Amino acid sequence: QSEQQRELFRYFCEVWKLDNASVAWMARLKQEVRAAVVEEFDGSTLDELGQRAPLRSWPSENICITDLPHGVAPVRLRTLLEQCGTVKQCHMLAPGTSAFVQMADAEQARIAVEDFHGQSPAGLTSPMSVRFAGPKQKDQAGDKLDGAWMSGIVKVWYPDRGFGFVSADGYTADVFAYRDALSDTTTLEVGAPVIFQAEWNASKAQLSTLIIIGLRESVESWVRASAGIGLAVRSFSRAVMERMQIGLPEIKLQHPGAPAVVLLNTNQAGIPPA
């Protein structure tokens, strides 16, 4: 790599205001891929997604991965996450379909959450969940979240009664959800990811939903837009890897500009394929 290429890369990272973890992620790319990204990326993928309100989150270096296929080799899971940075701990949890992972810092953990949450390991018909595993914000008063946009998982839903509860990411109390708040669907499914705008109900001292985004495509689009430039650059880089047929075998794109589909080897012996 020439001094001119190094200088262009530094300038690219400064212009797009990439955080340290995303800079390190790009630095691990093959030189020809990185050079193509620096030359071609123009931010248009973000323009296509449109402006979305940022999602409230409480980042941590710890992440929890659930909905993994039975028998996934820990060494392959670690290899996958090492694309995001340094893996300090990676422990499979019983019965073998979830894992606790500690990254070196919260920025690296954010890459894992942004890039791999909601993506489907090979052999699964449903996506795996990758979320921050830091302590929930018990000291976060619900009234301070009035109007905030948040992500979560449907904990329970009563279709005949038209209400249920959402387990919000990073927030300790369940959030009341009702049918009138649904904006793009008529019902919800337990375990499905959602995005919602929170509303504080002072009379009940409870956080509820003002608007709920429930269609998976809409949720994924919102997450990508909310994640901002770091995810956009990494997704574009994967599109370049796909086009140039250069890159890591664990990543394959669903379509150009989309987040990665995670390919996990389920070798029981934990030995990477040759």
Side-chain angles (χ1 to χ4, degrees), residues 95-113:
T97 58
S98 59
F100 171 82
V101 178
Q102 182 182 26
M103 303 298 293
D105 55 45
E107 284 187 353
Q108 294 178 12
R110 182 185 289 278
I111 289 181
V113 172

Side-chain angles (χ1 to χ4, degrees), residues 153-167 174-182 187-190 194 206-209 212:
I153 294 290
V154 180
K155 183 175 183 178
V156 63
W157 182 255
Y158 304 103
D160 54 332
R161 302 170 69 181
F163 75 91
F165 293 91
V166 171
S167 177
D174 292 336
V175 179
F176 180 74
Y178 56 99
R179 186 161 41 210
D180 289 349
L182 299 176
T187 189
L188 295 174
E189 295 183 6
V190 173
V194 294
Q206 181 184 43
L207 204 62
S208 62
T209 55
I212 301 175

